[in-house]
């Protein structure tokens, strides 16, 4: 009987979808590699959260046909080995854009209003911090979206609701398409950086984008600029960003992602409370986790029963 291994916990709706499929499935707790390798021996499908799925593990799965990610990225999978083994990888597609866009706005607002510092001040009895007048507004400000995919577009819609003028830089999206969404198309990244009051990253990591927000680009930002990252922590130079905020060369920043996760204690971003941090949980709302888990389960089930029309396979260009 066709067998699916679930590696890492799903939510209740995900397990309900598995039960409804009538396929055999086994659940393996996160990071229990010994049990995982044993169960992969006769598995044809895997439903995978964010845990590493590397060469050693893939070689333990001689019958595996599909890995279905609970998410849109595949950074945790050894894709080269998966291809060599003839294993397809499915992703969930546009399931999390609403949640991530909301988190983007949350980080923007928290950074602009310096919520963490004011919260700390109240708890420490420092009511007078209110006199610092150290908060800025979104209304009337310019937003630069770096990347105009699903999450970038949704973020732009929310920004316009706050009265912001939205710009977008994305060399892979036609400028007419950007303009048709009521967004100003920017042809050069450095030009967009220079005019933006707020900057938000919505591009994938990888060799073409890693380190794209470097010391040189940060030096072009306005002194009152706020930059937010809900994409990949490798996109910016964390030391350069931390230095710029600490030295007052930009106003603040917010990030949900880090170059190494879980974040290490020596990460420079942790030492500055003007920078708002969250633990890569943008998509981890109750509603979004249900959507992600159900879609990932359905991807695996539909692939294995031969109904692949609605299965979104990851294509690494």
């Amino acid at each position: 009987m066709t067998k699916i291994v679930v590696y890492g916990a799903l939510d209740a709706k995900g397990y309900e979808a598995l039960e409804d499929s009538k396929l055999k499935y086994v659940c393996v707790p996160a990071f229990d590699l010994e049990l995982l390798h044993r169960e992969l021996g006769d598995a044809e499908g895997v439903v995978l959260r964010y845990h590493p799925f590397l060469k050693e593990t893939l070689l333990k799965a001689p019958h595996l046909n599909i890995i279905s990610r609970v998410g849109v990225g595949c950074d945790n999978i050894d894709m080269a080995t998966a291809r060599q083994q003839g294993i397809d990888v499915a992703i969930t597609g546009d399931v999390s854009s609403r949640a991530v866009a909301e988190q983007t706005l949350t980080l923007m607002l928290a950074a602009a209003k310096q919520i963490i510092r004011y919260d700390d001040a109240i708890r420490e009895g420092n009511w007078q911090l209110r006199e610092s007048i150290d908060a800025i507004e979104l209304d009337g400000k310019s937003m630069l979206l770096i990347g105009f995919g699903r999450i970038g577009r949704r973020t732009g819609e929310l920004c316009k609701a706050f009265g912001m003028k939205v710009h977008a830089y994305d060399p892979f999206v036609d400028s007419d398409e950007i303009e048709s969404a009521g967004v100003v198309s920017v042809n050069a990244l450095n030009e967009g950086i220079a005019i933006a009051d707020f900057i938000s990253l919505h591009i994938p990591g990888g060799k073409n984008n890693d380190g794209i927000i470097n010391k040189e680009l940060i030096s072009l930002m306005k002194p009152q600029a706020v930059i937010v990252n809900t994409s990949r922590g490798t996109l910016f130079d964390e030391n350069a960003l931390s230095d710029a905020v600490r030295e007052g060369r930009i106003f603040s920043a917010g990030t949900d992602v880090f170059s190494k996760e879980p974040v290490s204690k020596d990460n420079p971003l942790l030492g500055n409370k003007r920078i708002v941090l969250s633990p890569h949980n943008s998509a981890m709302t109750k509603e979004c986790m249900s959507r992600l888990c159900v879609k990932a389960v359905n991807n695996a089930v539909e692939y294995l029963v031969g109904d692949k029309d609605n299965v979104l396979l990851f294509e690494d260009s």
Side-chain angles (χ1 to χ4, degrees):
M1 185 178 183
T2 301
K3 173 182 168 183
I4 296 174
V5 171
V6 178
Y7 185 39
L10 305 180
D11 88 322
K13 295 290 186 182
Y15 293 119
E16 287 177 15
L18 281 166
E19 289 289 338
D20 291 343
S21 76
K22 307 302 182 185
L23 297 183
K24 178 182 179 181
Y25 71 92
V26 294
C27 300
V28 176
F31 303 109
D32 189 341
L33 287 179
E34 182 179 352
L35 178 58
L36 176 64
H37 291 172
R38 188 161 65 245
E39 293 292 353
L40 284 174
D42 60 347
E44 295 181 41
V46 166
V47 176
L48 175 67
R49 290 278 309 278
Y50 56 86
H51 314 95
F53 212 83
L54 307 180
K55 182 175 183 177
E56 174 193 13
T57 298
L58 286 160
L59 295 179
K60 300 288 186 180
H63 305 290
L64 191 60
N65 295 313
I66 182 71
I67 300 171
S68 184
R69 273 280 289 119
V70 183
V72 295
C74 297
D75 297 353
N76 57 325
I77 301 172
D78 182 338
M79 292 298 294
T81 301
R83 290 192 197 94
Q84 291 171 4
Q85 298 290 101
I87 302 168
D88 280 330
V89 176
I91 56 177
T92 52
D94 189 20
V95 174
S96 59
S97 59
R98 285 169 283 177
V100 178
E102 286 185 8
Q103 181 81 344
T104 301
L105 265 292
T106 299
L107 291 171
M108 283 173 55
L109 286 163
K113 308 301 181 184
Q114 286 295 290
I115 292 296
I116 304 301
R117 291 178 56 242
Y118 285 125
D119 181 273
D120 283 349
I122 289 294
R123 297 175 194 279
E124 294 166 2
N126 181 13
W127 185 263
Q128 289 306 113
L129 186 63
R130 67 190 296 272
E131 299 298 333
S132 65
I133 320 295
D134 193 19
I136 57 178
E137 298 177 0
L138 275 61
D139 184 42
K141 302 294 173 53
S142 63
M143 157 59 79
L144 174 66
L145 303 169
I146 302 179
F148 200 63
R150 295 185 183 95
I151 298 172
R153 292 169 196 239
R154 180 61 174 161
T155 299
E157 292 171 2
L158 297 177
C159 288
K160 284 190 282 186
F162 277 87
M164 305 182 80
K165 184 174 183 180
V166 182
H167 302 70
Y169 168 79
D170 193 325
F172 300 102
V173 179
D174 188 81
S175 59
D176 289 342
E177 183 178 345
I178 294 174
E179 299 280 351
S180 69
V183 173
V184 179
S185 179
V186 174
N187 294 321
L189 180 57
N190 58 348
E191 294 175 5
I193 289 282
I195 65 171
D197 299 301
F198 290 80
I199 301 159
S200 187
L201 300 173
H202 300 286
I203 54 177
K207 61 182 179 180
N208 294 327
N209 292 330
D210 284 351
I212 191 171
I213 305 299
N214 53 27
K215 185 176 182 179
E216 180 181 357
L217 271 184
I218 292 172
S219 71
L220 300 176
M221 295 179 189
K222 295 179 178 181
Q224 288 295 100
V226 174
I227 183 167
V228 172
N229 187 3
T230 51
S231 294
R232 288 291 181 267
T234 53
L235 296 177
F236 53 37
D237 181 330
E238 292 171 331
N239 284 297
L241 179 64
S242 177
D243 289 345
V245 175
R246 186 181 66 254
E247 295 166 9
R249 289 185 280 115
I250 64 174
F251 183 77
S252 185
T255 186
D256 184 52
V257 288
F258 303 86
S259 59
K260 293 182 180 179
E261 297 178 358
V263 65
S264 58
K265 292 183 178 180
D266 61 352
N267 187 297
L269 302 179
L270 271 61
N272 191 332
K273 288 195 175 181
R274 293 192 71 87
I275 301 176
V276 183
L277 312 175
S278 58
H280 203 157
N281 68 322
S282 290
M284 297 180 72
T285 63
K286 294 180 184 297
E287 298 88 347
C288 188
M289 280 306 298
S290 287
R291 295 193 297 266
L292 286 166
C293 290
V294 170
K295 179 58 178 174
V297 168
N298 288 342
N299 275 341
V301 170
E302 290 171 9
Y303 184 99
L304 291 172
V305 301
D307 183 14
K308 302 179 184 179
D309 290 346
N310 294 319
V311 177
L312 180 61
L313 297 179
F314 179 79
E315 301 293 342
D316 186 3
S317 58

